Amino acid sequence: MQVTKMANLRWAFQCGSWVPTQAEWALAAQCVQPEEKERIGRFVFKKDAKSAMVGRLLLRKAIADTLHIPYNDIRLARTEKGKPYLTNAVPANFARFNFNISHQGDWAVLAAEPTRQVGVDVMKIELSRGNKSVTEFLDTFQRQFTVQEMRTIKAPLTEKGQLAMFYRHWCLKESYVKALGIGIGFTLQRLDFCINTHELSTQTIVQDTQVLVDNESDESWIFEETCLDQDHCVVTACKCDEQCNRKETTGHSPCHPFVVQTINTLLSGAQTQSGEDIQYWERFCEKLEQPTGR
């Protein structure tokens, strides 16, 4: 079996601007596992259904391209905490290959690594519905952040800057938790992130943020931080252990920028697992794009 040598993947898809044609949605639905197709169909809004569908297509494309497992043979399952994993046997040199996805706002993203544990999180920088002010919004999350983190979050002079710093911290914490696959139940205040580079942009990838876990510095983690556009930040967390090359997790290794995918690239090489379902498309068309007022 031929295996791609490097699998440090960083892929992104702009779900917010994707208006699926009948042919695209029908083919996409045929290319995911039946239970996932059913789960996606239960979403109330188009926005959520599109993001979930793209997430599955990103996973299947990454696995097929990297491990060269026949598309129809790929079998994905979920841990008790909801993290997707591959149930297929893989080549010995890719036994530690792992991946993670995230979708929020207008984007869906995937990160994959050949050996390192990986988690990824993307967030749209916006004030959540129901909050009258940024101050009120931030105060509802006091228990999720340390005193130092909250001080850093509130340091910017503008509300937009404070929101950006909040979501950056949130992505840092979520990417860490998702890399470990532990999900809900982990006390986020156990993590204390120290931001060294205060501005993120679409042109750079920041790697100098440090983390304390239970007040102890943990240098086995590296966090790749960047922006997909002016309204979305994304963080990829990678953990190195004894079986990894530690040099790969320091500033000595190149960063991996996100490569924007199209629906055509995601569906290229895909194989259908079921017949076309016209009613699936019709039910999708009946949905609202998103909740009213958004």
Side-chain angles (χ1 to χ4, degrees), residues 87-263:
T87 65
N88 303 71
V90 299
N93 58 328
F94 265 61
R96 292 165 56 81
F97 174 75
N98 75 118
F99 47 79
N100 196 225
I101 58 171
S102 176
H103 44 78
Q104 203 276 333
D106 298 331
W107 290 88
V109 295
L110 171 140
E113 287 284 324
T115 58
R116 300 182 296 181
Q117 287 178 268
V118 66
V120 67
D121 198 60
V122 61
M123 291 297 293
K124 185 173 184 178
I125 302 168
E126 62 179 351
L127 186 63
S128 296
R129 297 177 70 191
N131 289 284
K132 298 179 180 179
S133 69
V134 171
T135 298
E136 180 185 65
F137 172 69
L138 295 180
D139 286 345
T140 63
F141 289 92
Q142 290 281 358
R143 293 186 178 182
Q144 311 300 324
F145 298 96
T146 65
V147 173
Q148 178 59 43
E149 287 176 328
M150 191 56 71
R151 185 178 298 121
T152 302
I153 290 170
K154 293 184 176 181
L157 299 178
T158 66
E159 290 190 339
K160 177 73 172 180
Q162 292 177 10
L163 281 175
M165 190 60 77
F166 165 81
Y167 282 113
R168 181 177 173 184
H169 277 79
W170 189 262
C171 284
L172 284 163
K173 289 176 183 273
E174 284 294 306
S175 64
Y176 175 98
V177 170
K178 292 176 70 179
L180 294 180
I182 49 182
I184 298 174
F186 184 88
T187 303
L188 294 180
Q189 205 173 52
R190 291 174 57 192
L191 305 175
D192 190 1
F193 284 93
C194 178
I195 302 292
N196 292 300
T197 301
H198 286 264
E199 296 291 334
L200 297 182
S201 76
T202 59
Q203 304 300 315
T204 59
I205 300 175
V206 171
Q207 286 186 294
D208 60 359
T209 294
Q210 299 167 302
V211 64
L212 279 73
V213 183
D214 297 328
N215 298 316
E216 295 289 336
S217 177
D218 189 344
E219 297 183 356
S220 66
W221 288 89
I222 186 167
F223 300 91
E224 301 172 4
E225 303 177 77
T226 190
C227 292
L228 296 174
D229 57 31
Q230 65 178 1
D231 295 320
H232 294 79
C233 59
V234 59
V235 177
T236 305
C238 294
K239 180 176 175 59
C240 179
D241 60 24
E242 294 79 3
Q243 298 182 51
C244 297
N245 179 354
R246 173 58 187 153
K247 290 182 180 179
E248 293 182 357
T249 67
T250 68
H252 299 295
S253 63
C255 299
H256 305 287
F258 279 85
V259 178
V260 177
Q261 306 292 314
T262 67
I263 192 61

